[in-house]
Amino acid sequence: MVLDGFQRRVWNNGLVLLTCQNDRLPVVSVNAFVLAGTDQNPLRQPGLAALASRMLEEGTAKYRADDISRLVEDAGGNLSTCCQHELTGISLHLRDRDLPEGLDLAAQMVSRPTFPRQRFGLEREKALTRLEALEDDPQVVVSNLLNREIYRGGPLQFPGLGTPASLRRLQIEDIREFHRLRYAPENTVVVVVGNAGHAQVADLVDRRLGSWRNGRFRKSRPPVPRRQRAPRVRQRVLEGREQVHVCLGHLGVTRDHPDFYALQVMDAVLGSGPGFTSRIPRELRDRRGLAYATYSDLTGSAGRYPGRFLAYICTSPSNRDAAVSGLMEEIESLIEDGPTEEELELARNYLTGSFVFGFQSNAHVARFLLTAERFGLDPDFIRRYPDWIRAVDAEEVRRVARRHLDTVNFTTIIAGPEYASTR
C-alpha cells in the first residue's frame, strides 16, 4: 500500500492492528472498529446495535462515564462512537503524548464496557427523541421506506436507530448480551494513524488487548437480500409539507463487485457528481427547473452486503409526474446510449480529482485503512485508482448501466402532502 509508514499486525486471538505513521503534526487518531453493526440485530430488536454503541461511553471496568469525559477533555481531544450497517466504531482524536491513555480508553470501551443500568433509560430516551426528530426529515423518511422494501426479511430493513416499539422493548440485559455475543478480538480492527511508531502502538495494544478472549462470540448471518421481481409503489402523507419527495430504487452491489469502479464512473455521470458533471441534477434541476434537489447513487452504499441504487428528487406537487418521468428518462437514456465523451471526461476528472481529499486527515486515512482491510484492496490501490478510473470508457459505462440499473422491477417511494400522494 502506498502510504508511508503503514504496517499491519495480527494477534493469535484474531485482533488486527493497522498503523500509519504521520509526523507532520503532534496528534494521533485512535480507532477501534468492531464488525458488528445493524446487520447483527435480531429481527425483533432493531436498534440494539446502535443503542449498545451509544452506551460504550457510559462506563467501563476501569472508567466511569465522568472519568471518560474528563480524560478526553484533559487531553484536549474528542471521542465519538458510531453504528453503521456493518460495523460499530470508537474514534478518539488527541495529542500524541496522550496516546497511552487514549488506547487504554478505547481498549476498555471495546472489551470491558459495563453498560450501567442507571444510564440506560436516559440513552434510550435520547434515541427515541432522535427517531422522532428524524420523522420530520422527508429524505430520511423516503430512505427508510425504500430500505424496508429492498431489505425485506433482514435486519437492514429497519432504521439504524430502530423503531419506537423496538426501543421501548429493549432492556439493559439485551445490550449486555449483544456485547457478549458480538464483540470479540477476531471481529475487531484497531487503527492508529498519526505521530506514533508501529512498535510503540503495537506494545500498547498488546498489553491491553493481546490477551482478550471471548468464547461466546458468534457472528449472525442475516439472509442475503435479493432483487425484487416486480415493481412496487409506496406512499406516505407528510402533514404540513409543500414539497413532494420521490425516490426510485432497488438492490445494488457489494463493494468487491468486479464492476465497482466502472459503476463509480456511471454514478458520477448519472447523478452523484456535481451538477455540471451529472445528468440528473444538470437536466432536471438546472435546465428544466423540475427539482429543488435531485441526485442518484449506487456505489456509495456498497459493502459486504449489497447496497442500493437510489434516484431521489424533491419537487412541487404540480411537477411530480414530470419530475418522476424525467428521472426515468435520464436513467433509460444512459442505459441505451451511454455517456457522451464530454460527460465521461468530466466524471473521470471529478473522481480522480476528488480522490485525494479522502486522505486529508488522520481520521480519513484510518477509514481508508479499514476499508482496505475489509475488502482486500490492491496493495497499490492509492497509486492505481486513478488509472482504473481513466481506463473506464463509454461502452463500459453503458454495459454496467444495462447490467445494474433495472427500469422495470424497482420500488417507487412518494412522500408529500395528501393531495399529491396519489395519482
Side-chain angles (χ1 to χ4, degrees), residues 216-249:
R216 296 191 60 191
F217 168 70
R218 71 172 187 267
K219 190 94 169 178
S220 173
R221 288 178 171 78
V224 177
R226 299 189 181 279
R227 281 273 190 101
Q228 64 194 77
R229 297 183 178 180
R232 302 172 190 151
V233 178
R234 299 291 182 265
Q235 302 180 4
R236 171 75 65 86
V237 174
L238 300 178
E239 299 291 349
R241 296 288 176 175
E242 297 182 357
Q243 292 85 35
V244 179
H245 302 262
V246 180
C247 70
L248 318 176

Side-chain angles (χ1 to χ4, degrees), residues 127-148:
L128 285 165
T129 300
R130 178 63 176 156
L131 264 183
E132 184 178 355
L134 290 174
E135 278 296 309
D136 285 333
D137 186 329
Q139 287 197 55
V140 172
V141 170
V142 294
S143 178
N144 286 342
L145 289 171
L146 183 63
N147 283 344
R148 185 184 301 174

Side-chain angles (χ1 to χ4, degrees), residues 172-191:
I172 188 62
E173 279 307 320
D174 298 319
I175 303 294
R176 291 170 178 166
E177 182 69 1
F178 184 83
H179 181 269
R180 284 192 288 264
L181 294 178
R182 302 290 186 255
Y183 283 53
E186 59 264 49
N187 207 35
T188 301
V189 180
V190 176
V191 189

Side-chain angles (χ1 to χ4, degrees), residues 44-334:
R44 285 184 49 79
Q45 294 181 308
L48 178 57
L51 191 54
S53 74
R54 292 172 67 96
M55 288 203 65
L56 294 174
E57 298 182 52
E58 299 305 318
T60 74
K62 184 176 180 179
Y63 302 101
R64 295 176 304 176
D66 55 349
D67 295 328
I68 294 174
S69 298
R70 190 179 306 111
L71 188 155
V72 175
E73 289 171 6
D74 289 349
N78 60 73
L79 166 68
S80 63
T81 62
C82 69
C83 182
Q84 300 172 359
H85 275 185
E86 301 173 12
L87 61 87
T88 292
I90 300 165
S91 296
L92 265 166
H93 307 290
L94 63 166
R95 298 169 301 194
D96 54 3
R97 71 187 189 194
D98 297 310
L99 174 64
E101 292 81 4
L103 267 173
D104 191 53
L105 175 57
Q108 282 276 315
M109 289 174 65
V110 75
S111 67
R112 304 188 69 191
T114 53
F115 301 116
R117 187 179 300 275
Q118 66 271 24
R119 312 282 296 193
F120 172 73
L122 176 61
E123 289 305 317
R124 184 170 60 179
E125 285 304 312
K126 287 180 181 178
L128 285 165
T129 300
R130 178 63 176 156
L131 264 183
E132 184 178 355
L134 290 174
E135 278 296 309
D136 285 333
D137 186 329
Q139 287 197 55
V140 172
V141 170
V142 294
S143 178
N144 286 342
L145 289 171
L146 183 63
N147 283 344
R148 185 184 301 174
E149 298 300 319
I150 289 176
Y151 298 112
R152 282 184 179 186
L156 299 184
Q157 69 183 296
F158 301 107
L161 286 176
T163 67
S166 69
L167 281 174
R168 292 189 179 99
R169 287 195 302 267
L170 291 180
Q171 301 298 320
I172 188 62
E173 279 307 320
D174 298 319
I175 303 294
R176 291 170 178 166
E177 182 69 1
F178 184 83
H179 181 269
R180 284 192 288 264
L181 294 178
R182 302 290 186 255
Y183 283 53
E186 59 264 49
N187 207 35
T188 301
V189 180
V190 176
V191 189
V192 178
V193 179
N195 192 29
H198 178 79
Q200 175 194 10
V201 176
D203 179 62
L204 292 169
V205 170
D206 184 58
R207 282 186 270 156
R208 289 158 176 83
L209 293 172
S211 60
W212 180 25
R213 297 289 188 277
N214 181 1
R216 296 191 60 191
F217 168 70
R218 71 172 187 267
K219 190 94 169 178
S220 173
R221 288 178 171 78
V224 177
R226 299 189 181 279
R227 281 273 190 101
Q228 64 194 77
R229 297 183 178 180
R232 302 172 190 151
V233 178
R234 299 291 182 265
Q235 302 180 4
R236 171 75 65 86
V237 174
L238 300 178
E239 299 291 349
R241 296 288 176 175
E242 297 182 357
Q243 292 85 35
V244 179
H245 302 262
V246 180
C247 70
L248 318 176
H250 56 69
L251 195 68
V253 299
T254 56
R255 174 63 179 80
D256 57 2
H257 196 287
D259 289 340
F260 184 80
Y261 300 110
L263 286 168
Q264 280 195 312
V265 178
M266 182 203 76
D267 271 345
V269 169
L270 185 61
S272 69
F276 64 86
T277 301
S278 295
R279 279 190 187 187
I280 285 175
R282 184 179 68 238
E283 295 297 326
L284 301 186
R285 183 190 63 203
D286 300 340
R287 292 186 181 174
R288 297 175 61 183
L290 291 175
Y292 302 115
T294 185
Y295 63 88
S296 70
D297 177 73
L298 187 147
T299 57
S301 56
R304 288 196 176 274
Y305 300 104
R308 63 186 188 177
F309 171 67
L310 179 150
Y312 166 83
I313 192 162
C314 171
T315 188
S316 65
S318 60
N319 283 332
R320 191 198 70 176
D321 290 350
V324 174
S325 296
L327 274 180
M328 289 305 304
E329 288 167 6
E330 297 306 326
I331 295 168
E332 290 169 348
S333 173
L334 186 65

